[in-house]
Amino acid sequence: MNIQLRNYKTEDTQAILDIINYNILHSTALYDYNIRSYAAQLEMLEDKVKKGFPVIIAELDGVVVGFGMYGEFRFKEAYKFTVEHSVYVNNDIHGKGIGKLLLLELIAIAKKQGIHTMIAVIDSENQSSVDFHEKYGFETVGLIKESGWKFERWLHSVFMQLILK
């Protein structure tokens, strides 16, 4: 198994879109209802790159199998040292350490960029993601009850924070 990390290229957009849309349709990892279009996903990714935020690709034997990125937490100037991140791995290959590599790379980049705080917003049903983040120093700092409605039920958002030193 040969996992490599690299920066996003435009030609990765479809692979990212496939992972995103799978999660929109089959999980509470994203609170979207409708799948994204290629154009919308491309615009979102290009905007992150233009703003200097990382979009990291994980390849397994030359195939895109995951990605990680971060961007603005909120759009007020005082939040400029805080980012919200996302890490996604193809549903068929969880448990191979790909998410770990992506998260650790995002943390390293955030430190280099002078970011002070990383935020994860996780659906409370996704205990494996909460546990995953705890392994790397994130602490649960809040719960917003009934913050989302998907799959005919209320969902709760767990806010986790890592203060970079």
Side-chain angles (χ1 to χ4, degrees), residues 69-106:
M69 60 185 169
Y70 60 71
E72 294 101 341
F73 170 64
R74 298 190 67 191
F75 296 98
K76 305 286 186 198
E77 188 174 8
Y79 290 110
K80 67 184 175 183
F81 298 105
T82 301
V83 294
E84 182 178 343
H85 75 278
S86 299
V87 172
Y88 290 94
V89 175
N90 183 301
N91 192 61
D92 296 330
I93 56 165
H94 283 216
K96 298 192 183 312
I98 297 166
K100 170 187 175 178
L101 292 174
L102 288 165
L103 182 58
L104 291 176
E105 182 69 11
L106 288 176

Side-chain angles (χ1 to χ4, degrees), residues 29-70:
L30 289 150
Y31 282 13
D32 299 42
Y33 294 157
N34 300 305
I35 61 171
R36 295 183 188 165
S37 69
Y38 180 90
Q41 189 65 54
L42 177 63
E43 181 180 346
M44 181 185 301
L45 293 165
E46 297 292 333
D47 183 60
K48 287 195 183 307
V49 171
K50 182 178 77 173
K51 291 178 178 175
F53 294 122
V55 179
I56 305 301
I57 300 298
E59 287 185 335
L60 175 61
D61 299 326
V63 176
V64 174
V65 293
F67 67 96
M69 60 185 169
Y70 60 71

Side-chain angles (χ1 to χ4, degrees), residues 102-138:
L102 288 165
L103 182 58
L104 291 176
E105 182 69 11
L106 288 176
I107 291 169
I109 293 168
K111 287 178 179 179
K112 287 178 191 169
Q113 289 186 334
I115 299 300
H116 181 69
T117 302
M118 292 181 72
I119 302 292
V121 181
I122 304 166
D123 181 66
S124 66
E125 294 178 3
N126 192 349
Q127 188 61 46
S128 63
S129 184
V130 171
D131 294 344
F132 169 75
H133 280 82
E134 284 177 347
K135 281 185 198 176
Y136 301 102
F138 284 78

